[in-house]
Amino acid sequence: MKKSIVLAALLFGGITVFAQTKDEQALKDIYKSSLTNAKCYPWLDHLSNTIGSRLSGSAGAEKAVLYAKAQLETLGLNKVYLQEVMVPKWVRGEKEIGYLQLGKQKIDFPICALGGSVATPKAGLNANVIEVKSLEELAALGEAKVKGKIVFFNRPMNPEFVETFKAYSGCVDQRSSGAREAGKLGALAVIVRSMNLRLDDFPHTGATNYGDIAKEQRIPATAISTNGAELLSKSLRTNPNATFYLKQSCETFADVLSYNVVGEMTGSEHPERIMVVGGHLDSWDLGDGSHDDGAGCVQSMEVLNIFKNIGYKPKNTLRVVLFMNEENGVRGGKEYEKQSNKNNENHIFALESDSGGFSPRGFSIEADEANFNKISSWATLFEPYLIHKFVKGHSGVDIGPLQSNHIVKVGLQPDSQRYFDYHHAANDTFDAVNKRELELGAAAMTSLLYLMDQNDVVK
Amino acid sequence: MKKSIVLAALLFGGITVFAQTKDEQALKDIYKSSLTNAKCYPWLDHLSNTIGSRLSGSAGAEKAVLYAKAQLETLGLNKVYLQEVMVPKWVRGEKEIGYLQLGKQKIDFPICALGGSVATPKAGLNANVIEVKSLEELAALGEAKVKGKIVFFNRPMNPEFVETFKAYSGCVDQRSSGAREAGKLGALAVIVRSMNLRLDDFPHTGATNYGDIAKEQRIPATAISTNGAELLSKSLRTNPNATFYLKQSCETFADVLSYNVVGEMTGSEHPERIMVVGGHLDSWDLGDGSHDDGAGCVQSMEVLNIFKNIGYKPKNTLRVVLFMNEENGVRGGKEYEKQSNKNNENHIFALESDSGGFSPRGFSIEADEANFNKISSWATLFEPYLIHKFVKGHSGVDIGPLQSNHIVKVGLQPDSQRYFDYHHAANDTFDAVNKRELELGAAAMTSLLYLMDQNDVVK
């Protein structure tokens, strides 16, 4: 080996060892703080069990805004404030009713209106059901076979994908566009199989989007549990002329004022450079939104608590943002970007946690090659904490609108196997979150923010 | 670059690509089979919900032996048989009673006898309590301060460890040796804080070991839930003279005949080389042993089912062994090794799953450097399936006794965060296991066995 190479290796090796020792110690301190002295779990307990569900425009959402602000105020930050944002207000109304009439037999099904759906007529509606597996199959049937019927979208999530979010992406068009497309063909309503890999009795809600269809032409959309979908499909095979009765009384009201909650540690060296960490404070109305996304909110708040506890003062400004209205409008994310633009703010980094409070596995990174490589080079620092995944991909819905030159955006990626067991359903509750898994996620987020703060973004 | 290097790179690269393509396809087939066509989850359902707990020597254990044998017989293996093994028989008896007497107030505590413990006198026993954090602290107190008292071991698991098994190792001496050591100093009984990182109301059992202490000198040992331990400690601080009442009626009977369950696909090229995959069929008596270790048994059985489904015939003999009596004696593991020696069998590989049915993260490998490096070199093949951890370490208790020249032993490492929430407690039940996580573990195990079968062990 040439001497120059040996020398370079020694020098470089020496530098690496020194740099890693400091960073290694920081990550140790961060993890210790999170695993022994965190507030995120009791915060989530309050958010879930005392406040409960937090659909945009609901009393729960407003209570959550005040609670999160009050808690951030206990952390000795430089600023804590509310950012106004107008949000949609959709209300589920009475418990939905759905049953199949088979001669004299009535089979009840567990259903729930999809978010944003219109109501049925007050007396409910009653029609034959036609099952399809996709929007394409629906289009091929055409108006003649669809008109006057209830369209039942029954394509299950594909269990072959190891990452469940891929299976979700491959199914969610039924929920988001099914009512719009079926309505165009004269259907009376749609029933959509829940986006859940498990067979159980929970119907999962989620936004449906009518696009530019006039209000009076919109048709009701409801979700059915996976067990329900299996049974309905089986029943229709033997009784294709059976009729389904559906009643729901949901309603959309005028937009109401709500808030993003913001807390800030001003940067000691570059106060004008902003790093954002956040999740969304709103949830669907069925459970208490513990995984989606109470977990992401309290983890984001915990980042600042950990920095406070270990005495770390970020060089850049660190801002926690609890976004309002991710679930049915992303109004909070859009408003945050709008205000940021107006104030000529410079965001260098944004990190979102919105994939559940499960054991963290890694990060999904939206960045140019140089920054992706830089973040990936920290993998060895994360390895002792079982953070192994550094992949290119989607970061988060709330930070999606955020655009700055050279901004790096990252999403925390927890283990995804159980996420869709709870997503948008009545069983997304506090008991489904494990304290340590939540804390490990907060520690992984804090560690990444520390490293981003220590190492300038590559420009 | 020199031409020879370029050529070597091309050749080597070419070989690698070819080899990986074949192996990549095999892993794809394995995962697809496990995620879409597995039997492990319904097998576990039966084992847990129809049979229930399977403590060595119990009716449940015997039913499990017959059920597992019958299920293996449906897989078209070359051999399925039972291997006789004498096992201890310990019976819990009546529900234990434990309360603290504070003047006229009685505070009930959730307790359960440790496995192997002796009973209290029929009327129970009643004594002052002395709290210690360790065996060292107990020894320092000495006979004068311990005699006639109940010793309360209350060192919690250390939450700072990311890997919960490390925290368990750091605590379990209280359970395994506490009664023996306190008995030597004249204590009347011991109460041991459950090995659980979560604060809850479940006492966790597990083996206690009296060593060579004569039967009549053994003192009763009981576990207390983590919430109970916190409350007892707090109560003793303000009322150091309070007395604890303990009653348990557990009993050890003569050893009984039981079985390891064995199924075998004979190797197509090297029938004399044996690869073992297994878990333990026995469980503690409180829950239904779904995670510990029903999961490992059905995953091991699933390996053979997957090979059958994808039409893979192993070159080496593949043997599934469902060991009896891991929990309180390891008699099954020892007997298997004894018979293997007697028959001059040549084991090249052993894989155990006994860390719960959670999302698999990797493998803990007992091997020499060459074989460790070989297995680690497969990491890129496993990466798409989120298997990242290839570490040196303990493989499994049941395959522990197995010794052959050059044998490689591996333990599946699932995510460990929730394991001790359920371990040896009444909440280790079927509903705590996620179907996909279980199947992903089986697929990871099958993939490793496929690769071991394709690539000779380095000698």
Side-chain angles (χ1 to χ4, degrees):
Chain A
M1 202 183 284
K2 284 182 185 171
K3 271 191 192 167
S4 60
I5 298 178
V6 176
L7 191 66
L10 279 173
L11 270 175
F12 189 72
I15 289 164
T16 305
V17 169
F18 174 75
Q20 289 222 343
T21 302
K22 184 184 137 208
D23 290 343
E24 277 172 13
Q25 188 58 48
L27 265 60
K28 263 187 203 167
D29 295 344
I30 287 167
Y31 271 85
K32 181 173 175 175
S33 177
S34 197
L35 288 171
T36 63
N37 198 19
K39 292 187 172 174
C40 52
Y41 193 67
W43 278 334
L44 186 63
D45 188 358
H46 187 96
L47 214 49
S48 299
N49 290 324
T50 303
I51 295 178
S53 73
R54 305 171 296 280
L55 187 57
S56 291
S58 70
E62 297 321 294
K63 281 182 201 162
V65 164
L66 297 177
Y67 175 70
K69 180 170 180 279
Q71 291 304 310
L72 287 174
E73 280 166 349
T74 66
L75 299 182
L77 308 179
N78 299 97
K79 288 184 198 169
V80 177
Y81 58 95
L82 302 182
Q83 185 176 60
E84 294 189 351
V85 53
M86 296 300 292
V87 296
K89 179 172 176 165
W90 177 82
V91 176
R92 181 172 303 279
E94 288 167 22
K95 174 109 194 66
E96 302 84 346
I97 301 172
Y99 59 81
L100 194 71
Q101 192 79 46
L102 287 178
K104 287 185 178 175
Q105 196 193 357
K106 244 175 63 179
I107 307 177
D108 286 315
F109 284 90
I111 58 163
C112 69
L114 290 179
S117 173
V118 295
T120 58
K122 276 192 180 168
L125 59 83
N126 211 10
N128 289 129
V129 181
I130 185 159
E131 178 179 336
V132 297
K133 287 288 196 295
S134 66
L135 295 170
E136 294 71 25
E137 189 181 339
L138 173 76
L141 286 175
E143 196 173 330
K145 290 190 176 162
V146 170
K147 196 165 184 173
K149 292 186 181 147
I150 295 173
V151 174
F152 167 35
F153 288 94
N154 191 27
R155 181 164 88 262
M157 286 173 81
N158 185 344
E160 289 178 41
F161 291 114
V162 171
E163 313 249 18
T164 60
F165 280 88
K166 284 190 190 161
Y168 179 67
S169 300
C171 262
V172 74
D173 61 346
Q174 302 175 98
R175 191 193 77 207
S176 57
S177 309
R180 185 181 69 225
E181 297 307 317
K184 287 180 189 167
L185 298 176
L188 294 188
V190 298
I191 301 172
V192 181
R193 182 189 180 104
S194 288
M195 314 286 128
N196 177 9
L197 282 150
R198 188 164 71 169
L199 290 174
D200 66 26
D201 297 320
F202 292 99
H204 293 225
T205 191
T208 197
N209 179 5
Y210 293 107
D212 53 8
I213 289 181
K215 277 192 182 167
E216 59 282 7
Q217 290 172 341
R218 294 176 181 183
I219 63 170
T222 206
I224 189 167
S225 74
T226 45
N227 274 338
E230 293 288 310
L231 178 60
L232 180 57
S233 181
K234 193 177 151 192
S235 304
L236 291 172
R237 275 199 296 279
T238 44
N239 302 279
N241 296 319
T243 57
F244 196 93
Y245 173 82
L246 176 65
K247 186 180 174 191
Q248 53 191 34
S249 59
C250 38
E251 193 174 352
T252 299
F253 295 87
D255 288 357
V256 297
L257 179 65
S258 187
Y259 307 91
N260 293 328
V261 182
V262 187
E264 200 173 296
M265 290 177 126
T266 307
S268 60
E269 289 183 22
H270 306 289
E272 77 290 358
R273 294 190 203 160
I274 300 167
M275 307 192 302
V276 161
V277 61
H280 63 86
L281 203 47
D282 65 307
S283 74
W284 282 107
D285 56 330
L286 295 173
D288 60 36
S290 284
H291 277 295
D292 188 12
D293 182 29
C297 288
V298 298
Q299 286 174 323
S300 299
M301 293 162 70
E302 186 65 45
V303 170
L304 285 78
N305 187 42
I306 292 172
F307 278 162
K308 180 192 158 208
N309 286 342
I310 67 169
Y312 183 72
K313 312 263 183 222
K315 299 176 185 179
N316 306 290
T317 290
L318 174 60
R319 196 181 274 172
V320 59
V321 184
L322 309 177
F323 297 93
M324 185 50 66
N325 185 231
E326 188 267 353
E327 293 295 2
N328 53 341
V330 200
R331 299 277 186 89
K334 289 171 186 165
E335 183 64 25
Y336 180 80
E337 159 66 359
K338 192 173 152 192
Q339 295 302 324
S340 167
N341 265 342
K342 208 165 148 183
N343 299 327
N344 281 317
E345 287 180 348
N346 174 27
H347 284 80
I348 57 169
F349 183 60
L351 171 61
E352 181 157 351
S353 168
D354 184 20
S355 303
F358 303 94
S359 266
R361 306 292 300 261
F363 301 105
S364 177
I365 300 161
E366 282 182 50
D368 58 24
E369 207 62 23
N371 281 299
F372 176 76
N373 290 339
K374 183 156 196 168
I375 294 176
S376 303
S377 76
W378 299 331
T380 48
L381 281 166
F382 279 102
E383 208 168 310
Y385 306 100
L386 305 183
I387 300 293
H388 299 103
K389 239 180 110 186
F390 293 81
V391 294
K392 290 182 190 173
H394 171 69
S395 57
V397 170
D398 297 293
I399 61 176
L402 203 53
Q403 300 299 335
S404 290
N405 282 339
H406 307 292
I407 188 170
V408 171
K409 298 197 272 192
V410 174
L412 179 72
Q413 291 220 329
D415 194 285
S416 74
Q417 298 311 320
R418 295 171 182 247
Y419 188 62
F420 292 98
D421 296 358
Y422 307 112
H423 185 242
H424 297 181
N427 59 340
D428 182 5
T429 49
F430 184 66
D431 56 301
V433 177
N434 176 275
K435 178 174 178 283
R436 286 178 58 84
E437 295 185 1
L438 186 76
E439 291 167 351
L440 286 168
M445 292 164 69
T446 311
S447 299
L448 185 62
L449 277 157
Y450 160 82
L451 290 165
M452 287 301 300
D453 189 53
Q454 285 285 310
N455 296 272
D456 280 347
V457 178
V458 184
K459 285 176 189 172
Chain B
M1 202 182 284
K2 282 182 185 171
K3 270 190 194 169
S4 60
I5 298 179
V6 175
L7 190 66
L10 278 174
L11 269 177
F12 189 72
I15 291 163
T16 305
V17 168
F18 174 76
Q20 289 224 343
T21 301
K22 183 184 139 208
D23 291 343
E24 277 173 13
Q25 187 58 48
L27 266 61
K28 263 187 201 167
D29 295 344
I30 288 167
Y31 272 84
K32 181 172 175 175
S33 177
S34 197
L35 289 171
T36 63
N37 198 18
K39 292 186 173 173
C40 53
Y41 193 67
W43 277 334
L44 187 62
D45 188 358
H46 187 96
L47 215 49
S48 300
N49 290 323
T50 302
I51 296 177
S53 73
R54 304 172 296 281
L55 187 57
S56 291
S58 70
E62 297 321 295
K63 282 182 200 162
V65 164
L66 296 178
Y67 174 70
K69 180 169 179 279
Q71 291 304 310
L72 287 174
E73 281 165 348
T74 66
L75 299 183
L77 308 179
N78 298 96
K79 288 183 198 170
V80 176
Y81 57 95
L82 301 182
Q83 185 174 60
E84 293 190 351
V85 53
M86 296 301 293
V87 296
K89 179 171 176 167
W90 177 82
V91 175
R92 180 171 304 279
E94 286 167 24
K95 174 109 193 68
E96 302 84 347
I97 300 171
Y99 59 81
L100 194 69
Q101 191 81 47
L102 287 179
K104 288 186 177 172
Q105 198 194 353
K106 242 176 64 178
I107 307 177
D108 286 316
F109 284 90
I111 59 162
C112 68
L114 290 180
S117 173
V118 295
T120 58
K122 276 193 180 165
L125 59 82
N126 210 9
N128 289 128
V129 181
I130 184 158
E131 177 178 336
V132 296
K133 287 288 197 294
S134 66
L135 295 169
E136 294 71 25
E137 190 181 338
L138 173 76
L141 286 175
E143 195 172 331
K145 289 189 176 163
V146 169
K147 194 166 185 173
K149 291 188 182 145
I150 295 173
V151 175
F152 167 34
F153 288 94
N154 191 27
R155 181 163 87 261
M157 286 173 80
N158 185 345
E160 290 178 40
F161 291 114
V162 171
E163 313 248 20
T164 59
F165 281 88
K166 283 191 191 161
Y168 179 68
S169 300
C171 262
V172 74
D173 61 345
Q174 302 174 99
R175 191 194 77 206
S176 57
S177 309
R180 184 179 71 223
E181 297 307 317
K184 288 179 190 167
L185 298 176
L188 294 189
V190 299
I191 300 172
V192 182
R193 182 190 179 104
S194 289
M195 313 288 129
N196 177 7
L197 282 150
R198 189 164 70 169
L199 290 173
D200 66 25
D201 297 320
F202 293 99
H204 294 225
T205 192
T208 196
N209 179 4
Y210 293 107
D212 54 8
I213 289 181
K215 277 193 181 167
E216 60 282 7
Q217 289 172 343
R218 294 177 181 183
I219 64 171
T222 206
I224 188 168
S225 74
T226 46
N227 273 339
E230 293 290 308
L231 179 60
L232 179 57
S233 181
K234 194 177 149 190
S235 305
L236 291 171
R237 276 198 297 278
T238 44
N239 300 279
N241 295 320
T243 56
F244 196 94
Y245 173 82
L246 175 66
K247 186 181 175 192
Q248 53 191 34
S249 58
C250 38
E251 193 175 353
T252 299
F253 295 87
D255 289 357
V256 297
L257 178 64
S258 188
Y259 306 91
N260 293 327
V261 183
V262 186
E264 198 172 297
M265 289 177 126
T266 307
S268 59
E269 289 183 22
H270 306 291
E272 78 290 358
R273 293 191 203 161
I274 300 167
M275 307 191 302
V276 161
V277 61
H280 63 85
L281 202 48
D282 64 308
S283 74
W284 282 107
D285 56 331
L286 295 173
D288 60 36
S290 285
H291 277 295
D292 188 12
D293 182 28
C297 288
V298 298
Q299 286 175 323
S300 298
M301 293 162 71
E302 186 63 45
V303 170
L304 284 79
N305 187 42
I306 293 172
F307 278 161
K308 179 191 159 208
N309 286 341
I310 67 169
Y312 182 73
K313 312 261 185 226
K315 298 177 186 180
N316 305 291
T317 291
L318 174 60
R319 196 181 273 172
V320 58
V321 184
L322 309 177
F323 296 93
M324 186 49 67
N325 184 233
E326 188 268 354
E327 293 295 1
N328 52 341
V330 201
R331 301 274 187 91
K334 289 172 187 166
E335 183 64 26
Y336 180 80
E337 159 66 359
K338 193 174 152 192
Q339 295 303 323
S340 166
N341 265 342
K342 210 166 149 184
N343 300 326
N344 281 317
E345 287 180 348
N346 174 27
H347 284 80
I348 58 169
F349 183 60
L351 172 61
E352 180 157 351
S353 168
D354 184 20
S355 303
F358 302 94
S359 267
R361 305 293 300 262
F363 302 105
S364 178
I365 300 161
E366 281 182 52
D368 58 23
E369 207 62 23
N371 282 298
F372 177 76
N373 290 338
K374 184 156 196 169
I375 294 176
S376 302
S377 76
W378 300 330
T380 49
L381 282 165
F382 278 102
E383 209 169 309
Y385 306 99
L386 306 182
I387 300 294
H388 298 103
K389 240 179 109 185
F390 294 81
V391 293
K392 290 182 190 171
H394 171 70
S395 56
V397 171
D398 296 293
I399 60 176
L402 203 52
Q403 299 299 335
S404 292
N405 281 339
H406 307 292
I407 188 170
V408 172
K409 297 197 270 191
V410 174
L412 178 71
Q413 290 220 331
D415 194 284
S416 74
Q417 299 311 320
R418 295 170 182 247
Y419 188 62
F420 293 98
D421 296 358
Y422 307 112
H423 186 241
H424 297 181
N427 60 340
D428 182 4
T429 49
F430 184 65
D431 57 301
V433 177
N434 177 275
K435 177 173 178 284
R436 286 178 58 84
E437 295 185 0
L438 185 75
E439 291 167 352
L440 286 168
M445 292 164 69
T446 311
S447 298
L448 185 62
L449 277 157
Y450 160 82
L451 290 165
M452 287 302 301
D453 188 53
Q454 285 284 310
N455 297 273
D456 280 347
V457 177
V458 184
K459 285 176 188 172

